[in-house]
Each structure stands twice: as C-alpha cells, then as structure tokens.
Amino acid sequence: MLAVERVLAVVERLGAGAVTWSISPATAERHEQAACSAPDLPTVSESVPGYEAALWFGILGPKALPLDLVARWNKEIERIVQLPEIRERMAAAGTEPVGGSPDHFRNVIARDITKWQTVVKAANIKVGN
C-alpha cells in the first residue's frame, strides 16, 4: 500500500495497530537546513530559534508485512530515489530525497507524534468547532 495522507490519518491507523511503522522515508523537506532548490533562502529556524517542522513522505505497510519484504522494498526505494532523473524531478518539485532505514523512519514518525501531541496540548487545540 502506498499512502500519502494527512498526518492525522496516519496517526489514527498507527494508534489502531492497523499498520506497521514504516518501510522507507522516501522524501523529506528539512527546515533546519537550506533546501537544495533554494540554498540562499534562510531557513525558518534561522529566524525563529528552536523552530523545526518537517514535511516527509514515506511508504507504510500492513502490520504483518514480512521483514524480508520490508528490507527488499526499502532497498529498491533507496535505489530509485537516488536515480538522477528521479532526483531532478524531486528537486523541480522542491523536495529532496533523504532515504534511510525503516528503523530511522520509525523514529522520525515517533518523534513527530510526540512533538505535535505536545504542541496540540499546549495550545489546547481541539478537533471540530
């Protein structure tokens, strides 16, 4: 299953135990570093100390996905996002391939869930009205 979804939808599925954590972080926008498409443009964190919000895309699979399949998919995704024509298309869209292991991506997701839960609670953000 390839999913590009709202963060809330992913968190709901993770909380329900319906999907495994991850297969591969295919791309990410890193706001603590200048974008490769705009290296002279200051990052938000240079203007707002401590600011960090990243947009990432990845591939998630069902919870029972065999680990050998996860490893094979991860290897192929890593290979594909490093192809020059893919890197060029991603750069034209303003994204940068990052890649990494399934464990690394699992940690990114867990870190972001914790960070945004804290923000939501501190700001008393409610769904709806």
Side-chain angles (χ1 to χ4, degrees):
M1 171 176 87
L2 171 62
V4 178
E5 296 191 9
R6 301 169 295 119
V7 172
L8 183 58
V10 172
V11 171
E12 289 168 355
R13 287 195 179 94
L14 290 172
V19 297
T20 188
W21 278 92
S22 66
I23 294 171
S24 176
T27 67
E29 287 184 16
R30 292 180 290 192
H31 296 280
E32 68 276 6
Q33 297 178 353
C36 62
S37 57
D40 296 330
L41 184 66
T43 64
V44 174
S45 62
E46 290 174 325
S47 301
V48 182
Y51 176 88
E52 191 272 329
L55 170 64
W56 47 258
F57 299 92
I59 307 226
L60 304 174
K63 187 174 185 174
L65 198 62
L67 293 179
D68 62 327
L69 185 57
V70 170
R72 190 170 82 203
W73 283 5
N74 180 258
K75 183 179 177 182
E76 279 302 298
I77 292 165
E78 290 281 314
R79 182 186 67 77
I80 291 166
V81 299
Q82 296 307 322
L83 293 171
E85 62 269 24
I86 300 299
R87 291 183 68 84
E88 288 171 17
R89 289 179 72 178
M90 293 173 74
T95 61
E96 177 182 353
V98 174
S101 71
D103 286 337
H104 170 75
F105 193 36
R106 185 178 306 115
N107 291 335
V108 168
I109 293 170
R111 181 201 69 208
D112 280 1
I113 288 171
T114 299
K115 173 176 55 182
W116 293 112
Q117 283 176 335
T118 302
V119 170
V120 167
K121 287 178 186 173
N124 198 27
I125 297 170
K126 304 288 184 203
V127 176
N129 309 5

